[in-house]
Amino acid sequence: MKQTFFRGRTITDDDVIQAMKCFDKEHRESFPEKRWKRYAIEYENKNYPPKEIMRLVTGMQDVGSGGNYVNSPFQNLGFTIVPLENNQMSANDSDLLDEAESEVVFSLEYDLENSLVSNLEQLEEGLRLYQQDGITGQQLDTKVAGRIDLLAIDAQGDFVVVELKAEEADRQVCGQIQAYMGWVKENLAGDKKVRGIVIANAFTTRAIYAAKVVPNLSLKKYQISFKFADI
């Protein structure tokens, strides 16, 4: 049995095959054609929509960007990804345009997340990813409070919840991260402190004011730099 990882979860080739069977039985006839335009998983002479199969495999409603981000785990498991012949997007199809824009956002968040995981000290000296009993702090599913982008431990051994936003963050993000912080305090921290960091491309004035009344919450703006390499 082959296995790989997607957003902190282990998935196997058998998981994917079972998800395909579920799709054939319960979803294929009603699945909207406009949500499936670019790529397919080809298996036993049938095509399957990668994002929908990933949702079924992981139980996640939001699996993030399409394209290579979702396709590569299937390829790691030995499945074949094929481009669809009808993958031309109409400029008048607003639903597809919105989805394409969303994929760019999710891709940015994914890249930002992976960049931080590989070197959390670029955010703060002494910061490291939470790891305990086989559970890691990347995409930590709290069930009741939601999914934490990154849970880290600082140089003093206290907990740090990190929420990532590729675009401008509004005041709602403050309530969102406070729920995560509350869950960590209740379930993991014990006598350790819990604080939060929101990282975004920009912050609305409302977000900045909302964060001011939470003493253990800080806002950080990220900037993108490019590196180039010969092929």
Side-chain angles (χ1 to χ4, degrees):
M1 181 182 297
K2 296 181 181 179
Q3 68 176 35
T4 189
F5 299 94
F6 181 78
R7 297 184 71 173
R9 293 192 178 191
T10 302
I11 61 175
T12 69
D13 52 351
D14 186 61
D15 293 333
V16 175
I17 292 169
Q18 294 304 313
M20 290 175 174
K21 291 179 179 178
C22 177
F23 179 81
D24 284 334
K25 183 178 180 181
E26 301 180 14
H27 303 282
R28 183 176 288 277
E29 291 186 2
S30 61
F31 193 75
E33 182 180 349
K34 70 179 181 179
R35 290 178 56 193
W36 185 10
K37 291 277 187 180
R38 300 173 64 192
Y39 299 99
I41 309 169
E42 189 177 66
Y43 182 72
E44 293 188 342
N45 298 317
K46 292 182 180 179
N47 286 343
Y48 296 85
K51 290 177 70 173
E52 186 63 20
I53 295 302
M54 187 61 79
R55 290 186 185 102
L56 292 172
V57 168
T58 62
M60 300 177 187
Q61 266 308 107
D62 182 1
V63 297
S65 170
N68 188 60
Y69 171 50
V70 168
N71 292 343
S72 58
F74 295 120
Q75 292 173 314
N76 292 341
L77 294 173
F79 294 97
T80 300
I81 300 293
V82 297
L84 296 178
E85 293 181 0
N86 61 336
N87 63 356
Q88 296 299 316
M89 183 182 297
S90 168
N92 295 322
D93 193 334
S94 60
D95 291 334
L96 286 177
L97 289 173
D98 288 344
E99 182 174 345
E101 290 172 359
S102 296
E103 288 187 1
V104 171
V105 172
F106 284 127
S107 180
L108 281 172
E109 289 183 0
Y110 174 74
D111 291 341
L112 178 59
E113 178 183 307
N114 283 338
S115 175
L116 283 171
V117 167
S118 64
N119 182 15
L120 272 170
E121 287 210 348
Q122 64 185 305
L123 180 60
E124 180 180 303
E125 186 176 356
L127 208 60
R128 57 184 173 85
L129 192 67
Y130 170 81
Q131 293 183 329
Q132 184 71 34
D133 298 327
I135 298 173
T136 72
Q138 184 177 16
Q139 290 297 320
L140 178 61
D141 191 357
T142 71
K143 306 298 183 185
V144 293
R147 186 177 295 275
I148 299 172
D149 286 338
L150 297 174
L151 179 61
I153 305 295
D154 68 14
Q156 290 72 45
D158 293 324
F159 286 78
V160 182
V161 177
V162 181
E163 176 64 18
L164 307 174
K165 298 294 181 186
E167 297 183 302
E168 185 179 56
D170 202 355
R171 62 185 176 189
Q172 291 91 337
V173 73
C174 296
Q176 181 183 358
I177 195 171
Q178 282 181 277
Y180 300 155
M181 292 161 62
W183 184 90
V184 172
K185 183 64 177 177
E186 181 72 18
N187 294 276
L188 298 177
D191 59 354
K192 297 292 185 180
K193 297 178 182 178
V194 180
R195 58 190 173 93
I197 300 174
V198 178
I199 301 174
N201 175 255
F203 295 90
T204 66
T205 302
R206 296 186 303 182
I208 294 170
Y209 280 131
K212 286 183 180 294
V213 296
V214 185
N216 54 349
L217 177 61
S218 60
L219 308 180
K220 292 184 181 292
K221 181 178 177 179
Y222 75 85
Q223 294 180 325
I224 297 175
S225 62
F226 294 95
K227 294 181 179 180
F228 302 90
D230 293 330
I231 302 300

